[in-house]
Amino acid sequence: MKDTGLHGVDAEQRTVFRADCPSRPILDQIADKWSMMVMALLERPTRFNELKRGLEGITQRVLTQTLRRLERNGMIRRTVLATSPVGVEYSLTPLGESLREPFGHLYDWTVEHSGEIQNCQRAYDTREDARPPVR
């Protein structure tokens, strides 16, 4: 009998998460907390300041960088509006829309387990051998 692990894959054929794997920078760019929150807010086309108001604690600089990364990765569309003064709004592309469901599952899991995780953090922090939390 063969040793199978994650997803029933033969142990000798398991995925190696190589340093040059093209998924690494993409995951880093779209799976950070601000990107996930921006995409969650984009249920409809939304202006920059409305996004900023919906993301307590984000700076204008970080929001701008996040929006640019998401646009570069094809997750959102930036549309310049012919208004006076000129306005800009952001919306999800079909590719970005395809991430709403998996992000929603991750968010739901986070909310469902946040109390349990906080209890684990407190228990860890009170242990004598605990190291300072990594931030």
Side-chain angles (χ1 to χ4, degrees), residues 12-71:
E12 294 175 11
Q13 297 176 345
R14 286 191 185 133
T15 301
V16 173
F17 295 101
R18 297 175 45 96
D20 62 349
C21 178
S23 68
R24 282 188 178 196
I26 295 168
L27 284 170
D28 184 48
Q29 292 171 3
I30 64 170
D32 70 273
K33 70 178 178 183
W34 293 122
S35 293
M36 291 182 74
M37 289 183 208
V38 164
M39 292 180 66
L41 287 176
L42 288 175
E43 294 178 0
R44 58 176 173 67
T46 309
R47 291 191 175 209
F48 183 93
N49 284 330
E50 186 177 351
L51 288 170
K52 189 166 182 332
R53 284 191 299 272
L55 297 166
E56 188 174 305
I58 195 169
T59 64
Q60 183 164 332
R61 178 176 175 260
V62 170
L63 179 55
T64 298
Q65 290 171 337
T66 300
L67 291 167
R68 285 181 181 160
R69 276 196 319 268
L70 289 170
E71 182 181 10

